[in-house]
């Protein structure tokens, strides 16, 4: 058994922020499914939204967030996070994150603009902000004596008072599969934090890395947490469409710097869908692309920034330029083929401003959580900001908490299961689930499609849970079990919403109700 003061599940910006704020005074265990830097945070391109410019204001950032969130953002949460945005950026700068400089600007840094923002307020490191941030923080994590980094570990389930036959509703750590040793390890902790990211891999096409399988949402739900707003899945409008490039995102900032969306014949189409054209929020742009692709029978549309000087493109988008060039696409000379793809899970485990869930001792921070910031549609570049602000608040709450004595925790019991005779069940169900979600629970929805998806998910869930009960676990089985649970929560939430709002667009209910309400599911 491993014991820590605090167990953090997930190593993106949320997990790293917590680890660094806690480690001076607590022993921290940080587990990650692959290596430290393999997660959605590292792939973030555009940047971090923050009020840094004297021409900008907290109120304007709040207003932009509320407009994008389509009436169901929590205003208290939004204000708290935006008011702490400069402090979060200053912390990163102090740690040495190499943001792109601009000596002509009052801040000394280049600020870009993205869809839905009324000002240039996105601080960035070229077009690889996530990689710059996580690499910098990762070096601090690896060097810290109070942080134990457990790479190639995947959490299986939380250790709850109910599982231990104790009264109350509390978490005492987690069971995790040490993948290289192929053994289950018991990890006990006074405080456990879900920082495991979102659930993009529930869809066939996604910008997310393979690690985004909804683990934290599913584990929290099984432990007794409420989930909120799971129907709001953000589809990024512009994922690179190419057979040899999986999940490569074409940053929102390409449109922010003047990129134009065109049909294959060169016709620009966004102005007829929204007066903000390419700078409309992501849900509007994604639906417009989906509409044009279906109307014209297209596999993709094109994003064109080639009319800008080549030097400008190479300076602002060096990684996008290099990656596309490797595939034979010179973005200084030709448009980029793009399609929408599942990008961000706006809902998750319901938390307060300190990251606390419904279950004592369990916190959730980052994409796995539903703080109320994102509402029905996340404003571009607010996600990394949320990770840092709520991460610090959760760390402060944990540091102020009174310690508890841990109960006796039994080891994982796999004496009643056998090795699987064949694993085709996992691969087949994985593929079927993701195709069903893409076909029936995508950008445009109907009741019939949602009911069809729920029927498929229930059948798959029975098969997967039976397999889980009878055979030794594996990484793929753990992820599939979590994916099918998360998919069910998405569909159940979507069926409850009798309107179109933000990222949820229903042909059966095309109108938006006068008053926005959150969708909250409670475990039985």
């Amino acid at each position: 058994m491993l014991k820590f003061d605090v167990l953090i599940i997930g190593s993106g910006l949320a997990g790293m922020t917590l680890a660094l704020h806690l480690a001076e005074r607590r022993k921290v265990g940080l587990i990650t499914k692959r290596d430290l830097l393999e997660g959605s945070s590292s792939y973030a391109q555009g940047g971090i939204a923050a009020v840094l410019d004297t021409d900008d204001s907290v109120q304007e950032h709040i207003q932009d967030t509320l407009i994008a969130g389509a009436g169901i953002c929590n205003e208290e949460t939004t204000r708290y996070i935006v008011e702490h945005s400069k402090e979060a950026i200053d912390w990163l700068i102090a740690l040495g994150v190499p943001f792109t400089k601009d000596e002509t600007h009052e801040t000394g840094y280049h600020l870009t603009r993205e869809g839905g923002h009324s000002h240039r307020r996105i601080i960035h490191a070229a077009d690889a902000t996530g990689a710059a941030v996580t690499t910098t923080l990762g070096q601090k994590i690896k060097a810290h004596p109070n942080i134990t980094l457990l790479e190639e570990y995947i959490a299986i389930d939380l250790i709850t008072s109910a599982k231990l036959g104790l009264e109350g509703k509390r978490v005492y750590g987690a069971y995790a599969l040490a993948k290289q040793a192929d053994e289950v390890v018991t990890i006990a902790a006074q405080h456990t934090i879900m920082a495991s990211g979102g659930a993009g891999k529930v869809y066939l096409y996604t910008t997310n890395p393979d690690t985004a399988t909804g683990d934290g949402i599913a584990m929290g739900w099984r432990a007794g947490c409420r989930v909120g707003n799971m129907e709001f899945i953000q589809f990024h409008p512009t994922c690179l469409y190419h057979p040899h490039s999986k999940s490569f995102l074409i940053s929102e900032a390409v449109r922010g710097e003047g990129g134009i969306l065109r049909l294959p014949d060169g016709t620009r189409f966004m102005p007829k869908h929204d007066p903000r054209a390419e700078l409309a929020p992501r849900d509007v742009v994604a639906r417009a692309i989906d509409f044009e692709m279906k109307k014209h029978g297209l596999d993709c549309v094109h994003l064109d920034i080639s009319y800008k000087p080549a030097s400008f493109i190479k300076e602002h988008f060096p990684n996008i330029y290099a990656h596309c060039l490797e595939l034979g696409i010179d973005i200084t000379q030709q448009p980029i083929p793009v399609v929408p793809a599942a990008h961000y899970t706006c809902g998750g485990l319901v938390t307060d401003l300190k990251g606390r869930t419904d279950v004592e001792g369990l916190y959730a921070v980052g994409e796995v959580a539903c703080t109320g910031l994102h509402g029905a549609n996340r404003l571009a570049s607010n996600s990394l900001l949320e990770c840092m602000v709520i991460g610090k608040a959760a760390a402060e709450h944990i540091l102020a908490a009174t310690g508890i004595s841990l109960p006796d925790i039994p080891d994982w019991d796999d004496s009643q299961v056998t090795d699987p005779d064949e694993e085709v069940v996992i691969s087949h169900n994985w593929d079927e689930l993701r195709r069903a979600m893409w076909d029936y629970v995508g950008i445009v929805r109907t009741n019939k499609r949602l009911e069809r998806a729920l029927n498929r998910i229930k059948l798959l869930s029975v098969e997967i849970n039976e397999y889980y009960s009878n055979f030794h676990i594996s990484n793929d089985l753990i992820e599939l079990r979590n994916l099918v649970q998360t998919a069910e929560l998405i569909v159940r939430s979507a069926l409850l919403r009798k309107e179109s709002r933000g990222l949820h667009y229903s042909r059966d209910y095309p109108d938006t109700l006068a008053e926005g309400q959150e969708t909250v599911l409670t475990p039985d």
Side-chain angles (χ1 to χ4, degrees), residues 66-98:
L66 298 180
I67 290 169
I72 60 166
C73 293
N74 182 302
E75 292 198 35
E76 180 190 1
T77 299
T78 304
R79 177 167 295 279
Y80 179 83
I81 291 172
V82 173
E83 284 180 342
H84 288 81
S85 61
K86 185 178 186 302
E87 175 190 321
I89 299 301
D90 288 343
W91 180 67
L92 291 181
I93 291 171
L95 290 174
V97 174

mmCIF file of all heavy atoms in Angstrom, residues 66-98:
data_model
loop_
_atom_site.group_PDB
_atom_site.id
_atom_site.type_symbol
_atom_site.label_atom_id
_atom_site.label_comp_id
_atom_site.label_asym_id
_atom_site.label_seq_id
_atom_site.Cartn_x
_atom_site.Cartn_y
_atom_site.Cartn_z
ATOM 1 N N LEU A 66 -20.191 34.921 -20.161
ATOM 2 C CA LEU A 66 -21.623 34.698 -19.961
ATOM 3 C C LEU A 66 -22.362 34.578 -21.298
ATOM 4 O O LEU A 66 -23.268 33.752 -21.440
ATOM 5 C CB LEU A 66 -22.227 35.828 -19.137
ATOM 6 C CG LEU A 66 -21.702 36.014 -17.707
ATOM 7 C CD1 LEU A 66 -22.415 37.182 -17.033
ATOM 8 C CD2 LEU A 66 -21.858 34.737 -16.889
ATOM 9 N N ILE A 67 -21.970 35.394 -22.270
ATOM 10 C CA ILE A 67 -22.613 35.332 -23.593
ATOM 11 C C ILE A 67 -22.334 33.983 -24.239
ATOM 12 O O ILE A 67 -23.249 33.317 -24.749
ATOM 13 C CB ILE A 67 -22.117 36.484 -24.488
ATOM 14 C CG1 ILE A 67 -22.662 37.823 -23.967
ATOM 15 C CG2 ILE A 67 -22.548 36.267 -25.943
ATOM 16 C CD1 ILE A 67 -22.029 39.043 -24.610
ATOM 17 N N ALA A 68 -21.085 33.557 -24.218
ATOM 18 C CA ALA A 68 -20.741 32.248 -24.814
ATOM 19 C C ALA A 68 -21.461 31.123 -24.075
ATOM 20 O O ALA A 68 -21.926 30.164 -24.693
ATOM 21 C CB ALA A 68 -19.229 32.030 -24.756
ATOM 22 N N GLY A 69 -21.588 31.243 -22.752
ATOM 23 C CA GLY A 69 -22.210 30.202 -21.935
ATOM 24 C C GLY A 69 -23.709 30.108 -22.067
ATOM 25 O O GLY A 69 -24.348 29.244 -21.449
ATOM 26 N N ALA A 70 -24.310 31.002 -22.851
ATOM 27 C CA ALA A 70 -25.723 30.918 -23.260
ATOM 28 C C ALA A 70 -26.700 30.847 -22.094
ATOM 29 O O ALA A 70 -27.676 30.098 -22.119
ATOM 30 C CB ALA A 70 -25.935 29.727 -24.197
ATOM 31 N N GLY A 71 -26.430 31.633 -21.057
ATOM 32 C CA GLY A 71 -27.440 31.803 -20.021
ATOM 33 C C GLY A 71 -27.371 30.872 -18.841
ATOM 34 O O GLY A 71 -28.204 30.979 -17.932
ATOM 35 N N ILE A 72 -26.397 29.950 -18.795
ATOM 36 C CA ILE A 72 -26.352 29.081 -17.609
ATOM 37 C C ILE A 72 -24.972 29.038 -16.944
ATOM 38 O O ILE A 72 -24.685 28.122 -16.174
ATOM 39 C CB ILE A 72 -26.851 27.647 -17.894
ATOM 40 C CG1 ILE A 72 -26.025 26.948 -18.959
ATOM 41 C CG2 ILE A 72 -28.318 27.634 -18.259
ATOM 42 C CD1 ILE A 72 -26.300 25.453 -18.995
ATOM 43 N N CYS A 73 -24.128 30.013 -17.227
ATOM 44 C CA CYS A 73 -22.901 30.135 -16.436
ATOM 45 C C CYS A 73 -23.275 30.543 -15.008
ATOM 46 O O CYS A 73 -24.247 31.271 -14.803
ATOM 47 C CB CYS A 73 -21.977 31.211 -17.004
ATOM 48 S SG CYS A 73 -21.283 30.852 -18.618
ATOM 49 N N ASN A 74 -22.486 30.098 -14.057
ATOM 50 C CA ASN A 74 -22.642 30.562 -12.687
ATOM 51 C C ASN A 74 -21.873 31.883 -12.570
ATOM 52 O O ASN A 74 -20.645 31.911 -12.702
ATOM 53 C CB ASN A 74 -22.083 29.525 -11.712
ATOM 54 C CG ASN A 74 -22.251 29.932 -10.263
ATOM 55 O OD1 ASN A 74 -21.777 30.978 -9.846
ATOM 56 N ND2 ASN A 74 -22.916 29.089 -9.491
ATOM 57 N N GLU A 75 -22.586 32.974 -12.320
ATOM 58 C CA GLU A 75 -21.947 34.296 -12.354
ATOM 59 C C GLU A 75 -20.936 34.469 -11.222
ATOM 60 O O GLU A 75 -19.896 35.118 -11.398
ATOM 61 C CB GLU A 75 -22.999 35.401 -12.321
ATOM 62 C CG GLU A 75 -23.832 35.460 -13.602
ATOM 63 C CD GLU A 75 -24.565 36.780 -13.779
ATOM 64 O OE1 GLU A 75 -24.014 37.827 -13.390
ATOM 65 O OE2 GLU A 75 -25.694 36.738 -14.306
ATOM 66 N N GLU A 76 -21.210 33.894 -10.062
ATOM 67 C CA GLU A 76 -20.260 33.989 -8.945
ATOM 68 C C GLU A 76 -18.955 33.284 -9.304
ATOM 69 O O GLU A 76 -17.854 33.808 -9.078
ATOM 70 C CB GLU A 76 -20.865 33.357 -7.679
ATOM 71 C CG GLU A 76 -19.925 33.416 -6.492
ATOM 72 C CD GLU A 76 -20.397 32.591 -5.301
ATOM 73 O OE1 GLU A 76 -21.471 31.949 -5.403
ATOM 74 O OE2 GLU A 76 -19.685 32.575 -4.290
ATOM 75 N N THR A 77 -19.065 32.087 -9.868
ATOM 76 C CA THR A 77 -17.884 31.336 -10.294
ATOM 77 C C THR A 77 -17.111 32.102 -11.357
ATOM 78 O O THR A 77 -15.878 32.217 -11.304
ATOM 79 C CB THR A 77 -18.309 29.962 -10.861
ATOM 80 O OG1 THR A 77 -18.972 29.226 -9.843
ATOM 81 C CG2 THR A 77 -17.115 29.182 -11.363
ATOM 82 N N THR A 78 -17.834 32.613 -12.346
ATOM 83 C CA THR A 78 -17.199 33.327 -13.445
ATOM 84 C C THR A 78 -16.424 34.535 -12.936
ATOM 85 O O THR A 78 -15.265 34.758 -13.313
ATOM 86 C CB THR A 78 -18.254 33.766 -14.477
ATOM 87 O OG1 THR A 78 -18.983 32.611 -14.911
ATOM 88 C CG2 THR A 78 -17.603 34.422 -15.681
ATOM 89 N N ARG A 79 -17.047 35.297 -12.057
ATOM 90 C CA ARG A 79 -16.368 36.481 -11.516
ATOM 91 C C ARG A 79 -15.129 36.079 -10.731
ATOM 92 O O ARG A 79 -14.052 36.681 -10.877
ATOM 93 C CB ARG A 79 -17.318 37.288 -10.624
ATOM 94 C CG ARG A 79 -16.658 38.508 -9.957
ATOM 95 C CD ARG A 79 -17.662 39.457 -9.333
ATOM 96 N NE ARG A 79 -18.507 40.057 -10.350
ATOM 97 C CZ ARG A 79 -18.158 41.088 -11.112
ATOM 98 N NH1 ARG A 79 -16.949 41.637 -10.966
ATOM 99 N NH2 ARG A 79 -18.982 41.585 -11.995
ATOM 100 N N TYR A 80 -15.240 35.061 -9.893
ATOM 101 C CA TYR A 80 -14.109 34.630 -9.069
ATOM 102 C C TYR A 80 -12.919 34.229 -9.949
ATOM 103 O O TYR A 80 -11.772 34.630 -9.698
ATOM 104 C CB TYR A 80 -14.537 33.453 -8.184
ATOM 105 C CG TYR A 80 -13.427 32.921 -7.313
ATOM 106 C CD1 TYR A 80 -13.117 33.529 -6.097
ATOM 107 C CD2 TYR A 80 -12.675 31.817 -7.714
ATOM 108 C CE1 TYR A 80 -12.082 33.051 -5.300
ATOM 109 C CE2 TYR A 80 -11.640 31.331 -6.924
ATOM 110 C CZ TYR A 80 -11.350 31.949 -5.714
ATOM 111 O OH TYR A 80 -10.323 31.479 -4.934
ATOM 112 N N ILE A 81 -13.181 33.444 -10.980
ATOM 113 C CA ILE A 81 -12.094 32.947 -11.826
ATOM 114 C C ILE A 81 -11.471 34.086 -12.629
ATOM 115 O O ILE A 81 -10.241 34.198 -12.718
ATOM 116 C CB ILE A 81 -12.600 31.808 -12.725
ATOM 117 C CG1 ILE A 81 -12.903 30.573 -11.861
ATOM 118 C CG2 ILE A 81 -11.588 31.462 -13.821
ATOM 119 C CD1 ILE A 81 -13.592 29.437 -12.583
ATOM 120 N N VAL A 82 -12.293 34.947 -13.207
ATOM 121 C CA VAL A 82 -11.754 36.055 -14.011
ATOM 122 C C VAL A 82 -10.987 37.041 -13.123
ATOM 123 O O VAL A 82 -9.927 37.544 -13.513
ATOM 124 C CB VAL A 82 -12.883 36.770 -14.783
ATOM 125 C CG1 VAL A 82 -12.359 38.026 -15.472
ATOM 126 C CG2 VAL A 82 -13.486 35.819 -15.820
ATOM 127 N N GLU A 83 -11.491 37.315 -11.930
ATOM 128 C CA GLU A 83 -10.791 38.245 -11.031
ATOM 129 C C GLU A 83 -9.412 37.727 -10.630
ATOM 130 O O GLU A 83 -8.527 38.520 -10.288
ATOM 131 C CB GLU A 83 -11.638 38.496 -9.780
ATOM 132 C CG GLU A 83 -12.815 39.427 -10.019
ATOM 133 C CD GLU A 83 -13.649 39.670 -8.770
ATOM 134 O OE1 GLU A 83 -13.537 38.874 -7.807
ATOM 135 O OE2 GLU A 83 -14.424 40.643 -8.771
ATOM 136 N N HIS A 84 -9.232 36.420 -10.659
ATOM 137 C CA HIS A 84 -7.941 35.833 -10.285
ATOM 138 C C HIS A 84 -7.087 35.486 -11.507
ATOM 139 O O HIS A 84 -6.067 34.801 -11.370
ATOM 140 C CB HIS A 84 -8.162 34.587 -9.425
ATOM 141 C CG HIS A 84 -8.644 34.890 -8.037
ATOM 142 N ND1 HIS A 84 -9.963 35.156 -7.756
ATOM 143 C CD2 HIS A 84 -7.988 35.019 -6.855
ATOM 144 C CE1 HIS A 84 -10.107 35.394 -6.457
ATOM 145 N NE2 HIS A 84 -8.918 35.327 -5.895
ATOM 146 N N SER A 85 -7.487 35.954 -12.688
ATOM 147 C CA SER A 85 -6.775 35.553 -13.907
ATOM 148 C C SER A 85 -5.364 36.128 -13.976
ATOM 149 O O SER A 85 -4.410 35.424 -14.320
ATOM 150 C CB SER A 85 -7.578 35.952 -15.157
ATOM 151 O OG SER A 85 -7.765 37.352 -15.245
ATOM 152 N N LYS A 86 -5.200 37.400 -13.637
ATOM 153 C CA LYS A 86 -3.857 38.003 -13.718
ATOM 154 C C LYS A 86 -2.912 37.337 -12.725
ATOM 155 O O LYS A 86 -1.735 37.072 -13.034
ATOM 156 C CB LYS A 86 -3.924 39.505 -13.454
ATOM 157 C CG LYS A 86 -2.570 40.194 -13.650
ATOM 158 C CD LYS A 86 -2.650 41.684 -13.439
ATOM 159 C CE LYS A 86 -1.312 42.352 -13.780
ATOM 160 N NZ LYS A 86 -0.179 41.823 -12.994
ATOM 161 N N GLU A 87 -3.415 37.056 -11.535
ATOM 162 C CA GLU A 87 -2.610 36.380 -10.510
ATOM 163 C C GLU A 87 -2.114 35.017 -11.027
ATOM 164 O O GLU A 87 -0.958 34.638 -10.809
ATOM 165 C CB GLU A 87 -3.465 36.196 -9.258
ATOM 166 C CG GLU A 87 -2.834 35.408 -8.143
ATOM 167 C CD GLU A 87 -3.842 35.081 -7.049
ATOM 168 O OE1 GLU A 87 -4.676 35.942 -6.729
ATOM 169 O OE2 GLU A 87 -3.805 33.938 -6.553
ATOM 170 N N ALA A 88 -2.985 34.296 -11.731
ATOM 171 C CA ALA A 88 -2.605 32.977 -12.269
ATOM 172 C C ALA A 88 -1.512 33.114 -13.329
ATOM 173 O O ALA A 88 -0.547 32.335 -13.342
ATOM 174 C CB ALA A 88 -3.828 32.283 -12.855
ATOM 175 N N ILE A 89 -1.641 34.115 -14.203
ATOM 176 C CA ILE A 89 -0.627 34.325 -15.240
ATOM 177 C C ILE A 89 0.693 34.759 -14.618
ATOM 178 O O ILE A 89 1.775 34.298 -15.022
ATOM 179 C CB ILE A 89 -1.115 35.369 -16.280
ATOM 180 C CG1 ILE A 89 -2.394 34.884 -16.973
ATOM 181 C CG2 ILE A 89 -0.014 35.661 -17.295
ATOM 182 C CD1 ILE A 89 -2.267 33.559 -17.700
ATOM 183 N N ASP A 90 0.632 35.629 -13.628
ATOM 184 C CA ASP A 90 1.851 36.071 -12.948
ATOM 185 C C ASP A 90 2.582 34.887 -12.321
ATOM 186 O O ASP A 90 3.827 34.837 -12.306
ATOM 187 C CB ASP A 90 1.518 37.114 -11.862
ATOM 188 C CG ASP A 90 1.103 38.463 -12.447
ATOM 189 O OD1 ASP A 90 1.369 38.693 -13.646
ATOM 190 O OD2 ASP A 90 0.509 39.269 -11.704
ATOM 191 N N TRP A 91 1.826 33.940 -11.790
ATOM 192 C CA TRP A 91 2.426 32.719 -11.200
ATOM 193 C C TRP A 91 3.178 31.924 -12.258
ATOM 194 O O TRP A 91 4.316 31.491 -12.032
ATOM 195 C CB TRP A 91 1.311 31.886 -10.552
ATOM 196 C CG TRP A 91 1.769 30.605 -9.918
ATOM 197 C CD1 TRP A 91 2.561 30.476 -8.811
ATOM 198 C CD2 TRP A 91 1.455 29.271 -10.340
ATOM 199 N NE1 TRP A 91 2.755 29.136 -8.519
ATOM 200 C CE2 TRP A 91 2.087 28.379 -9.433
ATOM 201 C CE3 TRP A 91 0.695 28.744 -11.380
ATOM 202 C CZ2 TRP A 91 1.982 26.999 -9.566
ATOM 203 C CZ3 TRP A 91 0.584 27.360 -11.498
ATOM 204 C CH2 TRP A 91 1.224 26.504 -10.610
ATOM 205 N N LEU A 92 2.563 31.759 -13.428
ATOM 206 C CA LEU A 92 3.231 31.023 -14.505
ATOM 207 C C LEU A 92 4.493 31.748 -14.980
ATOM 208 O O LEU A 92 5.525 31.123 -15.235
ATOM 209 C CB LEU A 92 2.275 30.829 -15.683
ATOM 210 C CG LEU A 92 1.097 29.876 -15.480
ATOM 211 C CD1 LEU A 92 0.265 29.788 -16.760
ATOM 212 C CD2 LEU A 92 1.562 28.479 -15.068
ATOM 213 N N ILE A 93 4.405 33.058 -15.110
ATOM 214 C CA ILE A 93 5.571 33.836 -15.550
ATOM 215 C C ILE A 93 6.704 33.701 -14.528
ATOM 216 O O ILE A 93 7.872 33.517 -14.889
ATOM 217 C CB ILE A 93 5.179 35.311 -15.769
ATOM 218 C CG1 ILE A 93 4.254 35.433 -16.996
ATOM 219 C CG2 ILE A 93 6.427 36.183 -15.956
ATOM 220 C CD1 ILE A 93 3.638 36.814 -17.176
ATOM 221 N N ALA A 94 6.348 33.742 -13.241
ATOM 222 C CA ALA A 94 7.357 33.605 -12.186
ATOM 223 C C ALA A 94 8.029 32.232 -12.224
ATOM 224 O O ALA A 94 9.213 32.092 -11.875
ATOM 225 C CB ALA A 94 6.718 33.843 -10.822
ATOM 226 N N LEU A 95 7.277 31.213 -12.651
ATOM 227 C CA LEU A 95 7.838 29.863 -12.763
ATOM 228 C C LEU A 95 8.693 29.695 -14.017
ATOM 229 O O LEU A 95 9.379 28.682 -14.172
ATOM 230 C CB LEU A 95 6.715 28.823 -12.753
ATOM 231 C CG LEU A 95 5.979 28.628 -11.425
ATOM 232 C CD1 LEU A 95 4.799 27.680 -11.593
ATOM 233 C CD2 LEU A 95 6.922 28.103 -10.340
ATOM 234 N N GLY A 96 8.607 30.672 -14.940
ATOM 235 C CA GLY A 96 9.471 30.634 -16.115
ATOM 236 C C GLY A 96 8.812 30.214 -17.408
ATOM 237 O O GLY A 96 9.507 29.875 -18.371
ATOM 238 N N VAL A 97 7.487 30.226 -17.472
ATOM 239 C CA VAL A 97 6.809 29.853 -18.726
ATOM 240 C C VAL A 97 7.162 30.888 -19.812
ATOM 241 O O VAL A 97 6.980 32.092 -19.607
ATOM 242 C CB VAL A 97 5.278 29.780 -18.538
ATOM 243 C CG1 VAL A 97 4.582 29.541 -19.876
ATOM 244 C CG2 VAL A 97 4.923 28.668 -17.551
ATOM 245 N N PRO A 98 7.655 30.435 -20.969
ATOM 246 C CA PRO A 98 8.144 31.359 -22.009
ATOM 247 C C PRO A 98 7.030 31.866 -22.933
ATOM 248 O O PRO A 98 6.944 31.495 -24.107
ATOM 249 C CB PRO A 98 9.147 30.496 -22.779
ATOM 250 C CG PRO A 98 8.584 29.105 -22.686
ATOM 251 C CD PRO A 98 7.937 29.021 -21.317
#
